[in-house]
């Protein structure tokens, strides 16, 4: 039973354009959400997070949106750069909990 | 500088052999985690530890064992009972009291000979 799903396994975007990555979750107890970026043969790097008390959090080129009623979050990267080419994982947790539940990842390719 | 060190980067296991993956952190984090990643898939939790001398099973603990004798160290043993050990193994740590942001090591790729 996948509690966190990333339904798009891959995404291709032109440099300078917007990348939009989507993530859905089923567990209504989740109240803290994170995005990680991962290059091949490396560990994931934390990008940005959002608490369920917010619906938007922005950090430079990265913005995460949360729609609690739809149990959906998205990551926007504007403008996309070739160095953004990587696999992106969304993850969810209960703020009072200790574990992260990860989605399956979306591979992003930014074309020059 | 602070971080999480996993070793070795590549490891090969023979049939019937136990192997141990090392994870050391100098971030003074309380909690540590082990994940497994298979090709094209997300990360699955094997074991985690919130404090020294205590650990809990994750979602796929069968065939694995851990210990937490020191705060900075959380080794993972892949036993011969784990029939499909080939994967990328990731160790992470988190500071209790902060939001649940986990920081990852560079990973160990385990293959079966």
């Amino acid at each position: 039973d996948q509690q966190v799903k990333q339904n798009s396994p891959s995404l291709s975007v032109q440099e300078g354009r917007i990348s939009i990555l989507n993530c859905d979750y089923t567990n209504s107890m989740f109240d803290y959400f994170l995005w990680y970026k991962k290059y091949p043969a490396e560990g994931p790097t934390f990008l940005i997070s959002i608490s369920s008390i917010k619906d938007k959090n922005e950090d430079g080129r990265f913005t995460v949106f949360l729609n609690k009623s739809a149990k959906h979050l998205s990551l926007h990267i504007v403008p996309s750069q070739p160095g953004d080419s990587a696999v992106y994982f969304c993850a969810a947790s209960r703020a009072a909990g200790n574990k992260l539940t990860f989605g399956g990842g979306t591979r992003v390719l930014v074309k020059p | 500088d602070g971080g999480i060190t996993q070793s070795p980067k590549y490891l090969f296991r023979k049939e019937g052999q136990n192997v141990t993956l090392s994870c050391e952190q100098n971030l003074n984090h309380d909690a540590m985690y082990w994940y497994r990643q298979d090709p094209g898939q997300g990360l699955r939790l094997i074991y985690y530890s919130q404090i020294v001398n205590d650990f809990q099973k994750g979602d796929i603990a069968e065939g694995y064992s851990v210990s937490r004798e020191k705060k900075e160290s959380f080794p993972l043993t892949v036993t011969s009972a784990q029939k499909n050990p080939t994967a990328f193994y990731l160790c992470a740590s988190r500071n209790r009291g902060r939001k649940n942001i986990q920081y990852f090591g560079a990973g160990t790729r385990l293959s079966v000979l």
Side-chain angles (χ1 to χ4, degrees), chain A residues 72-104:
Chain A
H72 176 84
L73 64 154
S74 62
L75 174 69
H76 292 205
I77 307 174
V78 183
S80 299
Q81 300 174 352
D84 296 331
S85 297
V87 177
Y88 291 78
F89 292 98
C90 69
S93 77
R94 298 167 59 178
N98 294 293
K99 299 190 291 183
L100 292 179
T101 301
F102 283 85

Side-chain angles (χ1 to χ4, degrees), chain A residues 5-6 11 18-25 33-35 47-50 55-58 61-68 70-77 88-91 106:
Chain A
K5 285 186 182 179
Q6 295 176 252
L11 171 69
I18 184 172
S19 295
I20 300 177
L21 290 76
N22 295 303
C23 180
D24 297 296
Y25 62 97
F33 305 89
L34 307 89
W35 285 94
L47 261 181
I48 191 169
S49 63
I50 188 167
D55 54 18
K56 177 182 174 182
N57 189 26
E58 192 171 353
R61 296 186 296 113
F62 302 93
T63 303
V64 56
F65 296 91
L66 176 62
N67 183 333
K68 290 185 291 293
K71 295 191 178 70
H72 176 84
L73 64 154
S74 62
L75 174 69
H76 292 205
I77 307 174
Y88 291 78
F89 292 98
C90 69
T106 296

Side-chain angles (χ1 to χ4, degrees), chain B residues 11-20 63-64 77-86 89 109-113:
Chain B
L11 186 59
F12 297 91
R13 192 191 92 166
K14 295 179 181 177
E15 291 287 337
Q17 186 182 39
N18 293 353
V19 292
T20 297
Y64 300 97
T77 297
V78 184
T79 75
S80 57
Q82 172 49 245
K83 296 307 177 188
N84 186 21
T86 298
Y89 290 86
R109 181 162 301 282
L110 176 62
S111 303
V112 176
L113 289 176

Side-chain angles (χ1 to χ4, degrees), chain B residues 1-110:
Chain B
D1 49 329
I4 301 172
T5 302
Q6 289 188 241
S7 61
K9 194 166 179 66
Y10 300 96
L11 186 59
F12 297 91
R13 192 191 92 166
K14 295 179 181 177
E15 291 287 337
Q17 186 182 39
N18 293 353
V19 292
T20 297
L21 285 62
S22 170
C23 179
E24 303 277 332
Q25 54 100 357
N26 60 4
L27 300 168
N28 200 33
H29 285 175
D30 295 296
M32 296 186 74
Y33 303 81
W34 274 105
Y35 292 89
R36 168 181 172 140
Q37 186 191 15
D38 293 283
Q41 298 192 30
L43 281 64
R44 293 185 290 167
L45 183 63
I46 304 172
Y47 268 99
Y48 64 105
S49 167
Q50 299 179 61
I51 197 168
V52 174
N53 292 323
D54 186 51
F55 47 83
Q56 288 82 40
K57 292 181 179 180
D59 301 317
I60 54 166
E62 187 174 347
Y64 300 97
S65 66
V66 293
S67 63
R68 187 87 187 276
E69 297 177 1
K70 298 185 296 183
K71 185 176 184 178
E72 59 270 21
S73 179
F74 190 39
L76 172 75
T77 297
V78 184
T79 75
S80 57
Q82 172 49 245
K83 296 307 177 188
N84 186 21
T86 298
F88 191 53
Y89 290 86
L90 287 157
C91 178
S93 70
R94 177 180 73 91
N95 201 4
R96 282 174 76 189
R98 285 217 49 179
K99 292 193 171 156
N100 204 352
I101 299 173
Q102 295 180 17
Y103 297 90
F104 285 82
T108 293
R109 181 162 301 282
L110 176 62

